[in-house]
């Protein structure tokens, strides 16, 4: 897709920004969308490109019935790609996970404030960006769960598309040697498989079985690769100790006397936006992606669309710091 993107994608950004209360005129919002797309399509983004953005936005649409503020989720993900996520590499060298999302959060805060988004909404998007990097959310925060599930939807791709995803993910970390990458990737997979449920939102849970099947198959392959490369230090099943070091964000929510979780909508103060007709206003409808529908595609169609159905598991790669020498 290069530096290009369909017009409806820019229009979708402007409409979502309008819904969250951006007061900047439409031409300014369109210019912001173009800047973000250029960032998504920077050289070296074999996986985190604008097609990946389109896919995750489509999954947000698919799960939006259980979200309170889907437009805020859409904008959070748009800005999530302002900087290429190098979470795996940062964890390997032992940096604080907070450093992973700091440049993105700072950029997003400055841009949204300039575009007239209220402090309340900016603060909420800040929280969501952090949730995306850590892939953690309170069980009472259904919107964050929808966002994380949408980001993880690729794990439930048909096997042929999942294979393409793995290859693209490896390309983005071509600077890492094979053994370092394989061990980091395997550790991330073990963490995912150790969860009671990979997907937390009610609609996202239908992806669970296929995602686990893909992850188990990849883990088996990694076991073999690691054993062949380093027979004296074979891979061992373990969860990531760094998981306990990442604090869960605290959102509103409580248990009733019967033990039922009460999910309260968090009210946000939004600015009143000003509409403008200086740019196209036709709505571009995002395609809805259903993993089971992808299974019904022909092999050729799967090959053709594989790049567009890829998603990253970098965000879920909570790799512990390298031991001090």
């Amino acid at each position: 897709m290069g530096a290009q993107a369909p017009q409806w994608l820019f229009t979708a950004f402007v409409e979502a920004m309008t819904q969250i209360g951006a007061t900047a005129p439409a031409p300014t919002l369109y210019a912001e969308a173009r800047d973000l797309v250029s960032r998504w399509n920077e050289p070296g983004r074999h996986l985190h490109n604008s097609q990946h953005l389109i896919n995750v936005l489509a999954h947000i649409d698919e799960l939006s019935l259980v979200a309170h503020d889907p437009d805020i989720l859409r904008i959070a993900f748009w800005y999530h790609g302002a900087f290429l996520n190098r979470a795996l590499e940062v964890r390997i060298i032992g940096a604080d996970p907070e450093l992973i999302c700091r440049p993105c959060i700072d950029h997003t805060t400055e841009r949204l404030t300039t575009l007239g988004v209220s402090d309340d909404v900016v603060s909420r998007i800040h929280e969501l960006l952090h949730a995306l990097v850590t892939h953690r959310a309170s069980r009472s925060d259904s919107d964050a769960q929808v966002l994380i599930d949408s980001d993880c939807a690729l794990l439930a791709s048909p096997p042929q598309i999942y294979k393409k995803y793995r290859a693209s993910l490896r390309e983005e970390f071509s600077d890492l040697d094979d053994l370092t990458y394989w061990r980091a990737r395997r550790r991330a997979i073990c963490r995912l498989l150790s969860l009671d449920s990979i997907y937390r939102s009610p609609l996202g849970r239908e992806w669970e079985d296929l995602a686990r099947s893909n992850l188990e198959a990849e883990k088996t392959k990694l076991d073999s690769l690691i054993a062949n490369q380093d027979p004296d230090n074979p891979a061992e099943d373990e969860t990531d100790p760094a998981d306990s070091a990442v604090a869960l964000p605290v959102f509103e929510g409580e248990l009733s006397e019967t033990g039922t979780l009460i999910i309260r909508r968090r009210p946000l103060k939004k600015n009143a936006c000003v509409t403008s007709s200086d740019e196209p206003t036709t709505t571009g409808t995002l395609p809805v992606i259903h993993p089971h529908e992808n299974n019904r595609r022909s092999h050729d169609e799967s090959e053709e669309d594989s790049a567009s159905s890829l998603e990253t598991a970098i965000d879920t790669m909570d790799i512990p710091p390298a031991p001090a020498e």
Side-chain angles (χ1 to χ4, degrees):
M1 187 173 290
Q4 304 299 315
Q7 178 60 41
W8 59 258
L9 182 61
F10 301 101
T11 301
F13 174 83
V14 173
E15 292 178 343
M17 286 290 285
T18 300
Q19 290 299 315
I20 71 170
T23 60
T28 302
L29 296 178
Y30 274 96
E32 183 72 2
R34 287 189 287 270
D35 175 72
L36 285 170
V37 167
S38 70
R39 289 171 176 270
W40 277 99
N41 287 330
E42 288 173 343
R45 292 201 178 205
H46 303 280
L47 195 59
H48 291 85
N49 52 37
S50 58
Q51 189 60 63
H52 162 58
L53 167 65
I54 290 172
N55 291 340
V56 175
L57 291 175
H59 287 302
I60 291 173
D61 284 355
E62 191 174 352
L63 303 182
S64 62
L65 289 177
V66 294
H68 293 125
D69 292 293
D71 285 306
I72 289 179
L73 303 186
R74 295 178 182 112
I75 295 303
F77 202 81
W78 268 89
Y79 281 95
H80 174 64
F83 294 86
L84 183 61
N85 189 345
R86 299 289 294 181
L88 174 60
E89 185 176 31
V90 171
R91 284 306 184 107
I92 287 174
I93 65 176
D96 188 327
E98 183 68 23
L99 297 177
I100 301 170
C101 56
R102 177 51 53 190
C104 184
I105 288 175
D106 289 346
H107 174 82
T108 302
T109 299
E110 187 275 328
R111 294 306 305 146
L112 291 180
T113 301
T114 299
L115 295 170
V117 178
S118 71
D119 291 343
D120 209 18
V121 173
V122 171
S123 177
R124 175 57 172 153
I125 290 176
H126 177 154
E127 293 171 344
L128 292 170
L129 289 173
H130 191 273
L132 272 170
V133 169
T134 62
H135 270 211
R136 292 175 173 274
S138 165
R139 60 177 178 170
S140 64
D141 188 1
S142 58
D143 278 19
Q145 291 172 1
V146 164
L147 186 58
I148 294 170
D149 282 0
S150 298
D151 192 32
C152 288
L154 91 156
L155 298 176
S157 299
Q160 188 62 34
I161 293 177
Y162 189 82
K163 179 180 178 180
K164 294 287 186 179
Y165 145 68
R166 297 199 327 260
S168 294
L169 179 62
R170 182 66 184 99
E171 282 188 88
E172 283 197 345
F173 288 92
S174 59
D175 52 322
L176 297 180
D177 67 87
D178 284 341
L179 189 58
T180 298
Y181 177 82
W182 293 338
R183 288 190 180 279
R185 175 64 176 161
R186 186 186 182 283
R187 196 179 292 270
I189 290 173
C190 288
R191 188 192 73 82
L192 285 168
L193 292 174
S194 72
L195 299 174
D196 292 336
S197 177
I198 296 171
Y199 301 101
R200 300 294 181 172
S201 66
L203 297 180
R205 288 174 187 150
E206 68 179 48
W207 302 332
E208 187 79 18
D209 291 344
L210 183 53
R212 286 187 177 274
S213 176
N214 286 334
L215 290 168
E216 290 283 6
E218 184 178 2
K219 177 177 173 292
T220 298
K221 182 176 181 62
L222 289 170
D223 287 343
S224 177
L225 290 170
I226 293 170
N228 290 334
Q229 182 84 5
D230 189 13
D232 294 332
N233 296 284
E236 297 180 0
D237 285 329
E238 56 184 314
T239 56
D240 188 346
D243 284 347
S244 60
V246 181
L248 287 172
V250 179
F251 302 116
E252 296 177 4
E254 60 189 66
L255 295 176
S256 69
E257 294 181 356
T258 61
T260 302
L261 181 65
I262 301 173
I263 298 178
R264 302 189 187 281
R265 178 172 183 174
R266 176 174 174 174
L268 298 174
K269 295 180 180 178
K270 300 179 183 179
N271 294 333
C273 60
V274 179
T275 59
S276 171
S277 59
D278 293 338
E279 291 277 351
T281 57
T282 55
T283 302
T285 302
L286 287 170
V288 175
I289 301 174
H290 297 282
H292 60 276
E293 289 183 0
N294 285 335
N295 276 320
R296 293 197 295 266
R297 293 181 179 178
S298 68
H299 174 78
D300 290 340
E301 288 175 326
S302 294
E303 286 288 327
E304 180 177 325
D305 293 343
S306 61
S308 68
S309 301
L310 303 180
E311 167 49 73
T312 180
I314 292 176
D315 297 331
T316 65
M317 292 182 176
D318 291 340
I319 308 304
E325 297 183 352

